[in-house]
Each structure stands twice: as structure tokens, then as C-alpha cells.
């Protein structure tokens, strides 16, 4: 029983995914190939679930749950087609994402307190930068899963740019609604959307890789000190 708990704990996402896939494959008599598909699907679901949970928890702690979750939402959707730098383990990926999203959410709250002109400049600059970086850098693959076909690269890049189009349109709509009613939460949603897109675009650059790498190394040192995941 303790062994099962260890496998399905949030600290062993990969093990939990493999464990659940093996159990389902055994019960339903699936072959190894389908078991791998199940394991991957389970990993995506568990990783997404814990990412949302931690983002919400720390968002509530720092009183920015809405902003942090929207930033996470925007970044995740763009990342699907743009790719981006990866942390060395799933747990560190969650920890880094949670930290970054909450920090950006706190920054947004400060930005809202300034004039609407500042927010508009921030949004305009953020989208302009994102379009440029995604066009130049996307998709950013990994050494384990390199994208070699040029047609696939162009397809993913095109979808990533279309995703930015959608977020830009949503931001314009939110800005228009804010100008009519002056509801602060609309401005926060708009800033959160562009911030998610902006952060995901930064992860395609050398600066983004450096930030994630340094945070990854810091978490590794902390884990070693407390005897956790290496």
C-alpha cells in the first residue's frame, strides 16, 4: 500500500503515469505500445493537474490566483506549438512555472495601479516582441525529440502565430470593454494574457534558457540539501 502511494504521489509524476498505465493495460489486456501511449497521456494529465493546483495555491497565498492561472493558461496554449526550454525534471518544471507565473502576476497588479497608457504600451510591446520571437525561433524542439522536417516546423510556427492572433484579438476586446466600464479585473485579464504569451516567447530565447537553467540548478541544490529529487 505504501509502495502504491509512493508511485502515485505528486512527487513522482513519471512513475505515477507508468504505474497507472501498467495497471490499465493489464486489466484491459493492451499491448506495450498502447501502454506507452497511456503512460504519456497520464503524464500530461497529472502534470497539468499539479501545475494548476500549485499555481492556484501560491496564487491564493499571494492574492493573485486569477492572474497566475490566466498567465499559465496563455503560456501553455502557445507552448503547444511554439515549444520552449524545458527543466530537467517534471517537478522542477512545475516549481519554476509556478514561481514565474506568481511573480509576473504580482508585477501585473503593480502595473494596473499605473495609467492605462502604460498598460497599453506594455501590451503592444509584449505582442510585438512575441510575434518577432515566435516567427524567428519557433518551434523550439528538444534534443530528445528534434523536429527535422521543414514542413512540420512551418506548420507549428504558423499555428503558434495564429494563437498569438487570437490572444491579441481577445486583448483588444478586453481593452474595449474596460474603456466602457472601467472594471479593473478586465485590465488584469488582458495583462495576464499578454504576459503569458510574452513569457512563453522569452522561453524560446537564450535569455529564457538562461533563466530556466539557473532556476533549475538552484532547485537541484535545494533538493540535494533536503535529500529530495536530484
Amino acid at each position: 500500500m505504501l509502495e502504491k502511494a509512493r508511485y502515485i504521489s505528486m512527487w513522482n509524476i513519471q512513475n505515477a503515469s507508468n504505474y497507472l498505465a501498467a495497471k490499465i493495460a493489464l486489466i484491459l489486456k493492451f499491448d506495450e505500445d498502447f501502454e506507452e501511449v497511456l503512460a504519456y497521456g497520464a503524464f500530461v494529465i497529472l502534470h497539468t493537474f499539479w501545475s494548476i493546483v500549485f499555481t492556484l495555491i501560491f496564487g491564493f497565498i499571494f492574492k493573485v490566483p486569477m492572474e497566475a492561472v490566466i498567465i499559465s493558461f496563455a503560456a501553455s496554449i502557445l507552448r503547444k506549438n511554439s515549444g520552449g526550454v524545458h527543466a530537467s525534471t517534471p517537478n522542477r518544471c512545475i516549481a519554476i512555472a509556478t514561481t514565474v507565473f506568481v511573480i509576473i502576476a504580482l508585477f501585473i497588479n503593480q502595473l494596473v495601479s499605473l495609467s492605462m497608457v502604460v498598460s497599453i504600451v506594455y501590451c503592444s510591446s509584449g505582442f510585438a516582441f512575441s510575434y518577432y520571437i515566435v516567427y524567428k525561433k519557433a518551434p523550439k524542439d528538444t534534443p530528445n525529440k528534434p523536429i527535422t522536417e521543414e514542413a512540420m516546423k512551418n506548420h507549428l510556427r504558423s499555428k503558434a502565430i495564429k494563437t498569438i492572433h487570437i490572444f491579441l484579438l481577445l486583448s483588444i476586446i478586453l481593452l474595449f470593454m474596460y474603456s466602457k466600464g472601467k472594471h479593473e479585473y478586465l485590465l488584469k485579464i488582458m495583462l495576464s494574457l499578454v504576459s503569458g504569451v510574452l513569457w512563453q516567447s522569452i522561453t524560446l530565447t537564450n535569455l529564457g534558457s538562461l533563466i530556466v537553467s539557473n532556476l533549475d540548478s538552484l532547485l537541484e541544490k535545494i533538493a540535494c540539501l533536503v535529500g529530495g529529487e536530484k
Side-chain angles (χ1 to χ4, degrees):
M1 187 67 179
L2 289 175
E3 184 68 13
K4 289 183 180 180
R6 183 179 71 83
Y7 274 111
I8 63 175
S9 76
M10 61 185 172
W11 305 115
N12 293 280
I13 296 175
Q14 189 65 64
N15 287 342
S17 304
N18 294 336
Y19 176 81
L20 291 172
K23 284 296 182 182
I24 294 172
L26 180 63
I27 293 171
L28 300 180
K29 297 181 180 180
F30 292 142
D31 58 25
E32 290 185 5
D33 289 339
F34 200 80
E35 182 180 330
E36 289 182 6
V37 174
L38 286 174
Y40 176 75
F43 174 83
V44 171
I45 293 171
L46 289 174
H47 190 271
T48 301
F49 172 76
W50 285 117
S51 295
I52 294 171
V53 168
F54 276 92
T55 300
L56 273 173
I57 289 173
F58 284 91
F60 275 114
I61 289 173
F62 290 95
K63 300 180 180 179
V64 287
M66 180 187 73
E67 296 90 329
V69 170
I70 292 174
I71 294 167
S72 172
F73 166 79
S76 298
I77 290 180
L78 181 57
R79 185 182 183 86
K80 181 180 179 182
N81 294 304
S82 70
V85 64
H86 290 265
S88 58
T89 71
N91 292 340
R92 290 179 204 160
C93 177
I94 292 174
I96 291 170
T98 300
T99 301
V100 170
F101 296 153
V102 171
I103 289 174
I104 295 175
L106 291 170
F107 167 73
I108 287 173
N109 270 1
Q110 295 300 313
L111 197 61
V112 168
S113 64
L114 302 175
S115 68
M116 190 172 73
V117 174
V118 174
S119 295
I120 293 174
V121 170
Y122 173 76
C123 286
S124 301
S125 302
F127 276 117
F129 175 84
S130 297
Y131 273 116
Y132 175 77
I133 293 300
V134 168
Y135 179 77
K136 288 289 186 179
K137 302 285 187 179
K140 186 179 180 69
D141 54 12
T142 65
N144 295 332
K145 294 181 179 180
I147 303 173
T148 56
E149 296 182 10
E150 194 63 32
M152 177 58 70
K153 289 183 178 181
N154 292 335
H155 175 68
L156 292 172
R157 185 184 302 114
S158 176
K159 291 186 72 174
I161 290 174
K162 287 178 181 177
T163 300
I164 300 178
H165 288 342
I166 293 171
F167 283 126
L168 175 59
L169 178 60
L170 286 173
S171 297
I172 292 173
I173 293 172
L174 287 165
L175 182 61
F176 176 77
M177 292 170 64
Y178 172 77
S179 68
K180 294 296 182 180
K182 302 298 180 182
H183 297 296
E184 191 176 87
Y185 73 90
L186 293 172
L187 197 58
K188 288 183 178 180
I189 294 173
M190 181 189 74
L191 292 171
S192 298
L193 287 175
V194 68
S195 294
V197 170
L198 180 58
W199 166 249
Q200 180 52 35
S201 301
I202 290 174
T203 66
L204 304 177
T205 68
N206 292 333
L207 174 61
S209 297
L210 182 63
I211 292 171
V212 173
S213 177
N214 286 336
L215 289 173
D216 195 304
S217 297
L218 177 61
L219 289 172
E220 182 180 15
K221 292 176 182 177
I222 294 173
C224 288
L225 288 174
V226 300
E229 184 185 68
K230 303 298 187 288

